[in-house]
Amino acid sequence: MDDAQLRNFLLVAREGSLSRAASHAYISVPSLKAQMDRLEAELQVRLLARTNRGIELTQEGRLFLDFAKDAVNNSENIKKDLQNVARLKSETICIGYNSQHIRDFVYYEALARFRNNYPNTDVSFATSPSFNIQKDDLFLGVCEADGHRIIKRELGVFPLHCIVPVGCDLSIKRSINAADLTGRDVLIPPENMFCHIFPDFEEMLAKSGVRYLTNHLNSSQYIIQPATGKRISIIIGKEHMLPSTLVQIPLEGFHCRYNIYCSARAMQRFIVQAYVESLIQHYREVLTGVLHD
């Protein structure tokens, strides 16, 4: 038996008529009947019976129907998988970004996982002040999303943490609130990240009398600043490689939403869809503690 016989058998079973099934299959009735005769001869059972109401399935035909459906579906899935593999050869995904604060360790873990699953796909990065929709497939960072041309997908919601020196009076607390920061020197993320945090974050700090500075340091300097300058650093998410002189404590009531922006055009490509879903899955695992405590 072959794929054409199975498909035409399904047509006959659905239509209950050789003539209607032959019309759908774009073959003649005698050719279709000959196919069904060969199929029955090969299986050595009667699959079809002619009645006053047309063609009906025998008991054996009804059993064979499920097999034929599964075989045709499997054939379709194999074709799709092979087509996807063919499309993945030498594919490139172009990503723009305008922020260093994308939780690099999480993102690079996600990228490594994706490249392991799709080794023939190249992912290229380029810094850009905004989403160049003509050039980039995806964008990470701060972006004005146009609903007609850009699709926004949430990677995850990260809580904010305070990094304080061991021995500081705050270091023994289970969580820190705005009042705890009053009168202290605090380093906060750059202004272009405020749109990811509650809109009143900066206003809250000012009203609470917090002396804050916007962070313009690189990530390693930013982390060690509390130990050397006796300041409190506010970071997005949780740092996993802190020196023993520092502790991190959740900041109550604030969080940061990480998004990835995709052009509607790019999302029509299988590989871009796979990349975005891979990122979302990885961030979800990180945030639920699957990968990190």
Side-chain angles (χ1 to χ4, degrees), residues 50-65:
R50 187 181 296 276
T51 70
N52 293 334
R53 294 186 297 275
I55 300 296
E56 293 185 355
L57 297 178
T58 63
Q59 182 178 0
E60 294 82 357
R62 289 192 293 273
L63 291 174
F64 185 72
L65 181 64

Side-chain angles (χ1 to χ4, degrees), residues 1-9 35-36 38-39:
M1 77 187 72
D2 57 33
D3 190 64
Q5 285 177 307
L6 295 177
R7 292 176 184 275
N8 290 339
F9 170 77
Q35 280 190 16
M36 296 301 99
R38 287 197 300 273
L39 183 59

